[in-house]
Amino acid sequence: MDMSIDQLVVMSQAWIPVLLQYSGKLALAIVTLLIGWWLISKLTSKVSALMDGRKVDRALSSFIGSLASIVLKVLLIISVASMIGVETTSFIAVIGAAGLAIGLALQGSLANFAGGVLIMLFRPFKAGDFIEAQGISGSVDYIQIFHTVLRTGDNKVVIVPNGTLSNGIITNHSRQSTRQVLYDVKLDYDADLAKAREVLLELSKDARVHQEPAPVVVVSSLGETSINLSLRMWTAAGDYWPVIFMLNESVRDRLRAEGVELAQPPRMVQMVQQGKAD
């Protein structure tokens, strides 16, 4: 029994300094972890609030906030581990190798993610806009981190990857509040141009057509078989297609009623020679 007490005393004399040394490092590491965790939460909240103030898309704001929080917390844990004497060099190397492998495996997804970030930051379009991109026309239903969902005029849902969308040409028909209607009419060379101009300007008095700037009718070109008149006027963006459809239905009948003939397309005549039997 006495021997055991003596051994305990000797062991305590050997271990107590070590415990005191490491307990101090451990206490400092715990304090650092708690304070760092709190600071990271505050920082990510500030970043999210800043992006919300700049009208950044909520999905992007949430994703960036979460990503920043995870990265900072991982760095904090590595720093705390090094404070208590844990070798972190190999740990960092493993994380780097894993990140490289994941990046190579997800090249397409990362490109789409980068495209989504660019779209949400620079906002070439927003939900509800009518756009043309990648050979597709449709209204933007919503924008996700990796893809954008379009709804076509015949109610088809088209999912476009953000990588290709952000690197291609985008035509946004809803960005401006007004659009110019350019409506071309081909007339016969014998047609009365003054009467045709009068008819077209009369049709432009539709309530959906802006009268300032005033609609104009010009001779846009002289074709081989026709004189090409162009009616040019401005409408609200939402009235563009209804006005085009109205003109398609009315122009021909109104011109004919006034005795103005449209140009006839050239006719192709095929000569077929029938051989005589011997």
Side-chain angles (χ1 to χ4, degrees), residues 101-150:
I102 293 172
L104 292 174
L106 300 176
Q107 290 183 54
S109 297
L110 290 177
N112 291 332
F113 166 73
V117 171
L118 292 175
I119 289 171
M120 291 179 179
L121 283 177
F122 295 104
R123 304 188 71 80
F125 54 83
K126 62 182 185 300
D129 285 354
F130 187 86
I131 67 171
E132 291 181 33
Q134 303 298 316
I136 301 167
S137 301
S139 297
V140 180
D141 259 8
Y142 50 89
I143 306 167
Q144 297 288 351
I145 291 295
F146 294 100
H147 62 265
T148 296
V149 178
L150 302 180

Side-chain angles (χ1 to χ4, degrees), residues 18-34 80-81 83-86:
V18 176
L19 290 175
L20 290 175
Q21 179 184 359
Y22 277 97
S23 62
K25 289 184 178 181
L26 181 61
L28 181 60
I30 292 174
V31 171
T32 302
L33 180 64
L34 294 176
V80 169
M83 290 175 62
I84 59 177
V86 177

Side-chain angles (χ1 to χ4, degrees), residues 57 84 241 256 265:
D57 188 272
I84 59 177
W241 286 111
R256 281 188 174 180

Side-chain angles (χ1 to χ4, degrees), residues 122-218:
F122 295 104
R123 304 188 71 80
F125 54 83
K126 62 182 185 300
D129 285 354
F130 187 86
I131 67 171
E132 291 181 33
Q134 303 298 316
I136 301 167
S137 301
S139 297
V140 180
D141 259 8
Y142 50 89
I143 306 167
Q144 297 288 351
I145 291 295
F146 294 100
H147 62 265
T148 296
V149 178
L150 302 180
R151 190 177 297 275
T152 63
D154 55 353
N155 209 32
K156 294 178 182 177
V157 174
V158 181
I159 299 173
V160 184
N162 284 335
T164 56
L165 191 60
S166 63
N167 290 323
I169 297 174
I170 302 172
T171 303
N172 189 337
H173 295 286
S174 303
R175 193 64 173 263
Q176 303 296 331
S177 59
T178 58
R179 290 185 65 182
Q180 186 179 33
V181 176
L182 301 177
Y183 194 85
D184 294 331
V185 179
K186 294 184 177 182
L187 301 179
D188 189 84
Y189 265 98
D190 295 328
D192 188 339
L193 292 183
K195 181 62 70 174
R197 179 179 283 106
E198 181 182 336
V199 170
L200 293 176
L201 289 176
E202 185 67 28
L203 288 172
S204 71
K205 293 179 180 179
D206 188 277
R208 294 165 294 188
V209 176
H210 297 174
Q211 299 305 311
E212 185 59 40
V216 296
V217 177
V218 298

Side-chain angles (χ1 to χ4, degrees), residues 210-237:
H210 297 174
Q211 299 305 311
E212 185 59 40
V216 296
V217 177
V218 298
V219 177
S220 59
S221 64
L222 298 176
E224 292 184 3
T225 60
S226 65
I227 299 176
N228 301 323
L229 287 188
S230 179
L231 171 61
R232 302 182 177 193
M233 53 192 180
W234 291 87
T235 70

